[in-house]
Structures are given as structure tokens and as C-alpha cells.
Amino acid sequence: MANPYRSKQGLSARPVGTADEIQLRIDPLHGDLDEQITGLHSQVRRLKTVAQEIESETRVQNDLLADLQLTLSQAGAGVKNGMRRLNRTIQQSSNHIVHVVIFGLIFFTIIYFWFKVVGK
């Protein structure tokens, strides 16, 4: 054997200085590395494009959510104001109903006594 560290897969291990480091040597005789690197490079480019599209879509969705949240808060304020107006209107109309009922009682009482007096 020409190289005692050469493995069957084309990789060989070198002795390292520290336990945290691993060094591998790729044997160019086994496999076409240029084609694999080119393929990996194109896949990384596609992944980068997909990641950029995801990022832009996320920004658009976040903008839509912010607009929706603003619209909902404005709608909530409008409903709150409408409820206040409705409560005021109901209170005023209930006062009107009380006045109509009192007027009706007085009117029918007068009519009753009128027929009692005139009917005799």
C-alpha cells in the first residue's frame, strides 16, 4: 500500500492535536467530486431561493396580519361607540314610552268618566 491511512471509501483520518478537531482527507481517485460539488452547489442555490421566497411571503403575511389587527381594533371601537349610542337611544325611547303610557291612561280615564257622566 502506498498510503497506510487510505480507506476503501476514499477517506483517511489524520492524527489531530486536540480531541475537538476531526480532519478528513478525501481521496480524488474514488468518485467524481466535481460533479457532486456542482450538484450540491445547485441544490444550495435552490434552497437559498426557496428561503428568500419564504422570507418575502412571511413579510407579506405579517403585513396582512398587522392590517387585519388594525382593522379589527377600529371595528371594535366602532361597535363600542354604536353600543353607547344604542343604549342612549333605548333610554330616551323608554322615557317616550312611559310618556305615551301615562298619556293613554289619562286619556282613557277621561273618556271613562265622560261616558259615566254623559251616559246617565
Side-chain angles (χ1 to χ4, degrees):
M1 277 193 176
N3 188 350
Y5 294 108
R6 180 176 289 177
S7 67
K8 293 180 183 178
Q9 291 81 19
L11 301 176
S12 61
R14 293 184 183 172
V16 293
T18 64
D20 293 341
E21 296 178 4
I22 296 175
Q23 294 182 358
L24 294 176
R25 185 173 60 107
I26 300 173
D27 189 358
L29 298 176
H30 294 90
D32 191 12
L33 296 178
D34 289 338
E35 288 180 19
Q36 291 178 1
I37 290 173
T38 303
L40 287 174
H41 183 68
S42 65
Q43 288 178 354
V44 167
R45 242 186 290 130
R46 277 188 258 147
L47 284 174
K48 181 180 177 184
T49 303
V50 168
Q52 288 171 342
E53 289 177 13
I54 289 172
E55 181 183 8
S56 66
E57 182 66 24
T58 302
R59 285 185 183 144
V60 168
Q61 294 293 329
N62 284 339
D63 291 343
L64 287 173
L65 283 175
D67 290 344
L68 181 61
Q69 186 176 15
L70 177 65
T71 302
L72 286 175
S73 66
Q74 289 173 345
V79 167
K80 195 173 188 178
N81 287 336
M83 289 301 292
R84 279 191 209 132
R85 288 182 192 159
L86 183 62
N87 285 336
R88 274 190 246 133
T89 303
I90 288 172
Q91 287 173 352
Q92 290 172 355
S93 66
S94 66
N95 289 339
H96 293 301
I97 291 173
V98 169
H99 291 128
V100 168
V101 168
I102 291 173
F103 172 77
L105 288 174
I106 292 172
F107 179 75
F108 287 118
T109 304
I110 291 172
I111 296 293
Y112 176 75
F113 285 120
W114 177 270
F115 280 116
K116 280 285 215 183
V117 172
V118 173
K120 276 189 172 186

